[in-house]
Amino acid sequence: MASIVRFRSLFALATATLSCAATPLRTVSEIEWLQQIEQQAIEEEGISPEVVHRALDAFVPNPRVLELDHRQPESTITFETYIRGALNPTRINKGEELLALYEPELASIEAATGVPPQVVVALWAVESSYGMNMGNFEVINSLATLAFEGRRADFFRKELLAALRILEFERMAPEDLKGSWAGAMGQCQFMPSVYLKHAVDQNGDGHRDIWNSDLDVMASIANYLASEGWQRGLGWGHKIDRTSADPASLITPDGDDGPAFEVTDNFRALLKWNRSKYFALSVGLLADEMKKD
């Protein structure tokens, strides 16, 4: 009997939804899922009903997000090709300008975290081209779409709940959370759970603003690396003749016929940011380029 009553309630809600022009059209399964996630956010996560309903009541899955999620082609690009794009002159010149512009602020961040300014700025460059490529998807909608019917629904459900906590604690509107189709946010492309753990209010305005505040972005990048094992005073590694290296510290991104790098534990800290060896090597090499006069 309880199941019959529950079905009738859902059917009534679906009927009401379909009959109201101001309400998004949803299937019964979408309505049921939405009720569950809103209940979890309010009752288990302690997020206010006002925040939850404002963020999710208008939710409908975004087909573009699902298309991108299912596309995910295997990359066949070589490291040499990848690094040419990562170390382009425009990116290096802009990085050097920012190092000069924020020299005292970056020195303060390094004193607090041990992360060199060049590494901070290089990560900023590789993640979003210094804020030029943050993505323009609505993060709440993207995460809800992937949590509802994506390939990694459990992962994105946790990230959705983390994003709702950001709205609650940072007093932000849902439309202010912009990022990639997969929910990576701001100039340093933090997932919501990473934001909650590592984002920093460096400019002291009461908000951890990784979208608009360069100081918050730089400090957040450094705080992440410091928290994930970056060692003060230790480089990331360097290119070598492969015959002279310790195999345990040898990275050969293109196999035996390509370049070889001897790396340290700080390279492994970069891998915690992004597990791609291409990515981590590009950050290290870009940081090295910015050191040159």
Side-chain angles (χ1 to χ4, degrees):
M1 178 63 71
S3 61
I4 294 175
V5 171
R6 182 167 173 270
F7 175 78
R8 287 174 176 170
S9 298
L10 287 171
F11 181 79
L13 181 56
T15 302
T17 299
L18 294 171
S19 65
C20 180
T23 305
L25 298 179
R26 298 195 186 97
T27 65
V28 171
S29 62
E30 289 171 354
I31 294 169
E32 184 175 19
W33 178 85
L34 191 58
Q35 288 177 326
Q36 290 173 350
I37 197 72
E38 289 187 340
Q39 182 179 10
Q40 182 180 3
I42 294 168
E43 296 181 2
E44 298 180 20
E45 302 293 330
I47 303 167
S48 64
E50 294 79 10
V51 167
V52 172
H53 290 303
R54 181 179 178 186
L56 292 177
D57 276 359
F59 166 68
V60 289
N62 185 338
R64 177 61 176 159
V65 169
L66 292 173
E67 177 188 348
L68 291 168
D69 182 46
H70 289 106
R71 181 181 296 176
Q72 294 291 291
E74 290 294 326
S75 175
T76 57
I77 190 173
T78 66
F79 176 71
E80 292 293 349
T81 300
Y82 181 94
I83 207 65
R84 280 198 297 272
L87 270 63
N88 68 74
T90 300
R91 180 174 283 180
I92 294 169
N93 291 339
K94 178 64 174 178
E96 291 172 344
E97 291 175 9
L98 291 168
L99 285 168
L101 177 64
Y102 291 119
E103 183 177 1
E105 292 86 354
L106 283 164
S108 177
I109 290 170
E110 182 178 19
T113 64
V115 181
Q118 290 85 358
V119 173
V120 172
V121 173
L123 258 171
W124 189 6
V126 174
E127 275 295 0
S128 70
S129 292
Y130 310 111
M132 295 297 293
N133 300 321
M134 290 188 286
N136 201 36
F137 285 84
E138 293 186 1
V139 166
I140 294 292
N141 180 268
S142 293
L143 293 173
T145 297
L146 294 166
F148 175 62
E149 55 183 330
R151 295 177 297 115
R152 295 179 291 160
D154 289 343
F155 169 79
F156 285 110
R157 186 184 185 100
K158 293 176 184 177
E159 292 298 333
L160 174 59
L161 292 169
L164 292 172
R165 287 198 294 274
I166 293 171
L167 298 183
E168 175 90 355
F169 301 132
E170 296 291 329
R171 302 183 301 280
M172 296 179 69
E175 56 270 21
D176 293 334
L177 256 62
K178 293 293 181 67
S180 75
W181 66 266
M185 307 183 305
Q187 298 190 44
C188 46
Q189 292 289 278
F190 279 176
M191 292 299 290
S193 62
V194 174
Y195 173 98
L196 289 172
K197 186 176 181 181
H198 296 297
V200 173
D201 174 22
Q202 186 72 6
N203 65 9
D205 67 353
H207 297 282
R208 298 181 288 174
D209 188 355
I210 61 172
W211 294 266
N212 305 298
S213 168
D214 289 355
L215 295 183
D216 289 4
V217 170
M218 294 185 295
S220 298
I221 290 170
N223 186 51
Y224 179 100
L225 289 177
S227 300
E228 295 297 335
W230 186 273
Q231 298 179 34
R232 187 184 298 269
L234 181 67
W236 68 269
H238 56 276
K239 189 174 181 179
I240 59 163
D241 175 354
R242 68 178 62 245
T243 61
S244 63
D246 174 4
S249 299
L250 188 66
I251 297 293
T252 55
D254 278 344
D256 292 340
D257 296 328
F261 300 86
E262 186 177 22
V263 299
T264 70
D265 284 342
N266 280 352
F267 178 82
R268 297 177 182 93
L270 290 171
L271 285 176
K272 291 181 180 179
W273 183 294
N274 186 313
R275 289 177 291 180
S276 165
K277 293 177 182 177
Y278 282 18
F279 178 95
L281 286 168
S282 72
V283 171
L285 291 169
L286 182 56
D288 290 347
E289 286 293 321
M290 292 179 189
K291 289 181 182 178
K292 297 178 180 177
D293 296 325

